[in-house]
Amino acid sequence: MHIPPLTADQLAHYHREGYVILPRIMDDATLEAIRAEEARFRAHRLARDPASANQTMFVSQVCPYSEPVRRFCASGPHLGVASQLVGTANVALWFNQFVTKNPDGATGRSEFPWHQDNGYAAIEPATNVTIWVALDDVDEENGCVWVMPRSHEQGLLDHRRKSEDSWHLTLNVEGDGTPAILKAGEAVAFTGLTLHRSKLNHTDRPRRAFFMEYADATAGYSRNHEPLQPLIGNPNTWVVSGAVPIPGTF
Ligand SMILES: O=C(O)CCC(=O)C(=O)O
């Protein structure tokens, strides 16, 4: 599958609005392979924890466990676009995750509240991009992602825990934002500073998604305001395009 480079208009939209809708980035065969991996993890999770049937399933840092996932993240046809969005030839994959929003039923728990990805782990410089790929057709009914246009202009905002019994971080946001309505295999790309969220899944089927975060391979990261660490050297981080300087200690 070939994905043409983003046009100047698409790139300008990304930098101005903080997001851009991408065309299809997973072909049928890849979509099936990645869906099969999602099903494998979901079955495993369900066997371990039957209550997870009604909860959102998050499976992070999947590459060590899955060749199809690793192949897509590290050499998928979207890497040229990822490099354009990050703005450098030297790009690192540093995070990836399945997010399966199971049917909410009447629990009201399938919401993922407003946040910036850098609110969970700050990347510096914050030129990182999240590429969120729909594994099913997604819309307002089954809990698509919503982005808040131009919110990245505010820089990194203060997040707080949603509630004592939740690990979600969030903050007050005025307005509804824009739904990223996608067909399976299409994606939305947004900056690490772009406010986004997803609402409830009102259907009776899981809403499956997979996302990857790419950053300048020389960037650093910090969780909980701890000192910045180089991304490279973190066992989950891989250069997927270009190279980084070799440390003196090698
Ligand atoms: O897939 C979703 O519903 C949103 C996930 C998300 O925003 C995140 O994990 O940071």
Side-chain angles (χ1 to χ4, degrees):
M1 179 181 209
H2 171 71
I3 301 175
L6 294 176
T7 62
D9 278 356
Q10 285 172 308
L11 264 183
H13 184 283
Y14 174 75
H15 288 297
R16 189 182 63 245
E17 304 296 327
Y19 76 96
V20 65
I21 301 290
L22 300 180
R24 200 157 176 203
I25 66 168
M26 269 188 197
D27 59 21
D28 285 344
T30 310
L31 194 52
E32 281 320 305
I34 303 289
R35 281 173 172 164
E37 286 299 82
E38 187 277 342
R40 189 167 72 92
F41 281 98
R42 184 146 43 99
H44 177 82
R45 186 68 62 89
L46 194 61
R48 241 186 48 208
D49 176 13
S52 69
N54 303 111
Q55 296 163 0
T56 302
M57 178 188 78
F58 301 91
V59 182
S60 312
Q61 305 295 30
V62 188
C63 291
Y65 305 94
S66 169
E67 190 272 341
V69 168
R70 180 177 54 76
R71 181 155 31 99
F72 182 71
C73 292
S75 54
H78 58 288
L79 284 188
V81 164
S83 169
Q84 282 183 288
L85 293 169
V86 174
T88 172
N90 304 318
V91 177
L93 167 77
W94 80 275
F95 193 78
N96 57 87
Q97 185 165 270
F98 282 117
V99 189
T100 301
K101 199 187 271 287
N102 281 310
D104 184 68
T107 66
R109 290 182 65 89
S110 61
E111 178 205 21
F112 197 119
W114 284 115
H115 65 285
Q116 301 168 310
D117 282 339
N118 285 12
Y120 284 87
I123 305 290
E124 281 284 340
T127 52
N128 51 306
V129 64
T130 297
I131 300 184
W132 188 101
V133 193
L135 301 180
D136 292 297
D137 295 355
V138 294
D139 57 21
E140 297 174 38
E141 188 63 15
N142 69 352
C144 66
V145 161
W146 295 62
V147 292
M148 183 57 79
R150 304 194 179 197
S151 52
H152 63 309
E153 287 173 356
Q154 301 171 66
L156 185 57
L157 299 169
D158 262 345
H159 292 59
R160 57 178 163 71
R161 286 264 294 278
K162 182 186 163 198
S163 60
E164 278 202 357
D165 63 347
S166 168
W167 52 264
H168 282 119
L169 299 175
T170 193
L171 63 179
N172 290 330
V173 174
E174 297 275 321
D176 231 17
T178 302
I181 295 172
L182 303 169
K183 295 279 180 211
E186 295 176 348
V188 56
F190 45 85
T191 81
L193 297 174
T194 303
L195 287 165
H196 60 285
R197 54 126 175 223
S198 61
K199 300 191 194 179
L200 305 181
N201 177 1
H202 295 290
T203 72
D204 56 6
R205 282 160 290 112
R207 186 235 64 190
R208 298 167 295 178
F210 178 71
F211 73 82
M212 301 153 290
E213 296 191 28
Y214 296 99
D216 183 326
T218 60
Y221 78 103
S222 154
R223 287 188 198 273
N224 306 319
H225 307 285
E226 283 165 8
L228 215 55
Q229 309 256 4
L231 271 179
I232 299 298
N234 176 315
N236 285 303
T237 303
W238 297 89
V239 172
V240 292
S241 141
V244 284
I246 301 168
T249 49
F250 251 63

